[in-house]
């Protein structure tokens, strides 16, 4: 029997019961913003929480969430954020280490749902955090699984390699452009502009 995508979404929706505190976090470089709702999307705070992207800031977020759980008698929690850039990574790992339930939301989904609450496409950090919480409560999320250390390092190496390969190609294109402008005859003399022959040991010895 085929497993339909709608079945998976239904399971994610059913997973968030009346005992859940739903937290949406809008990520940034230095200061993050969090909003909290219940399973129906009702806001549970009079004001959003702003916290720094530091351990002290993460602990402040944890105390804030625990306070809301006690106040509203909610025993479970689910925390949603967008995996944009790299600013979310440290917070997601730290929350996972604390045994908290972290999920990720597609930024395109957040963008499409900005008008749900106020019929306005305007953007602000508190509003984005609230939209993320709304999206999570309706099942539009996927679980964050913290990878083992060696897989994290391998991922970093792959990203670094991709960065340097891209920059290498960009620099080569710039060199070819300047050769075409300043020395168009170069290609008729050397088939390969990098001149690997000139760098070979046998070629250098021949001309010493």
């Amino acid at each position: 029997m085929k497993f339909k995508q709608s079945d998976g979404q239904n399971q994610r929706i059913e997973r968030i019961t009346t005992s859940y505190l739903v937290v949406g976090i809008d990520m940034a470089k230095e200061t993050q913003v969090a909003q909290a709702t219940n399973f129906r999307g009702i806001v549970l705070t009079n004001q959003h929480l702003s916290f720094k992207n530091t351990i002290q800031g993460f602990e402040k977020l944890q105390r804030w969430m625990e306070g809301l759980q006690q106040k509203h008698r909610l025993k479970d929690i689910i925390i949603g954020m967008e995996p944009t850039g790299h600013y979310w990574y440290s917070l997601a790992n730290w929350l996972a280490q604390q045994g908290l339930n972290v999920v990720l939301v597609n930024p395109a989904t957040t963008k499409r749902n900005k008008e749900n609450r106020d019929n306005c496409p305007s953007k602000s950090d508190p509003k984005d955090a609230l939209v993320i919480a709304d999206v999570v409560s309706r099942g539009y999320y996927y679980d964050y699984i913290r990878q083992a250390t060696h897989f994290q390092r391998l991922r970093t190496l792959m990203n670094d390699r991709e960065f340097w390969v891209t920059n290498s190609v960009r620099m080569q294109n710039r060199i070819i452009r300047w050769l075409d402008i300043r020395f168009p005859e170069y290609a008729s003399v050397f088939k390969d502009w990098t001149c690997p022959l000139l760098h070979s040991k046998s070629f250098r010895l021949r001309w010493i």
Side-chain angles (χ1 to χ4, degrees), residues 35-204:
Q35 288 272 33
T37 71
N38 64 8
F39 79 107
R40 294 181 60 190
I42 298 175
V43 182
L44 300 179
T45 57
N46 295 326
Q47 189 175 6
H48 64 272
L49 174 75
S50 296
F51 61 98
K52 297 294 183 181
N53 193 21
T54 61
I55 293 296
Q56 292 76 15
F58 299 166
E59 292 173 345
K60 178 182 178 181
L61 170 67
Q62 187 175 28
R63 291 192 298 270
W64 179 75
M65 293 188 298
E66 289 174 351
L68 289 174
Q69 282 184 284
Q70 293 177 2
K71 180 179 179 181
H72 298 280
R73 299 179 181 178
L74 302 171
K75 65 177 183 178
D76 299 310
I77 186 169
I78 185 168
I79 306 162
M81 61 187 72
E82 294 176 336
T84 51
H86 57 276
Y87 304 126
W88 66 277
Y89 196 68
S90 296
L91 177 59
N93 278 339
W94 188 87
L95 291 171
Q97 288 176 355
Q98 311 309 308
L100 297 173
N101 187 11
V102 180
V103 298
L104 303 178
V105 174
N106 190 323
T109 304
T110 304
K111 185 176 181 180
R112 288 194 298 267
N113 286 270
K114 284 187 182 295
E115 299 184 33
N116 286 351
R117 282 202 168 256
D118 55 7
N119 294 320
C120 178
S122 63
K123 174 179 173 61
S124 68
D125 292 345
K127 178 180 177 179
D128 287 351
L130 189 56
V131 171
I132 291 172
D134 271 341
V135 169
V136 170
S137 67
R138 290 188 286 116
Y140 294 102
Y141 64 85
Y142 55 96
D143 291 309
Y144 170 66
I145 301 175
R146 187 169 182 267
Q147 295 177 329
T149 303
H150 53 278
F151 282 115
Q152 293 181 22
R153 292 175 178 173
L154 181 61
R155 181 178 179 179
T156 300
L157 288 173
M158 292 175 63
N159 289 338
D160 288 346
R161 181 184 182 279
E162 183 178 355
F163 171 81
W164 288 113
V165 167
T166 301
N167 276 273
S168 175
V169 172
R170 185 181 297 115
M171 291 301 298
Q172 290 180 45
N173 290 336
R174 290 179 65 181
I175 292 172
I176 292 174
R177 174 178 178 271
W178 281 110
L179 284 174
D180 291 341
I181 294 174
R182 301 295 183 183
F183 193 3
E185 299 85 358
Y186 188 91
S188 63
V189 179
F190 299 103
K191 184 177 181 180
D192 186 353
W193 70 268
T194 60
C195 295
L197 180 62
L198 293 177
H199 300 291
S200 65
K201 185 176 180 180
S202 60
F203 182 86
R204 292 197 303 270

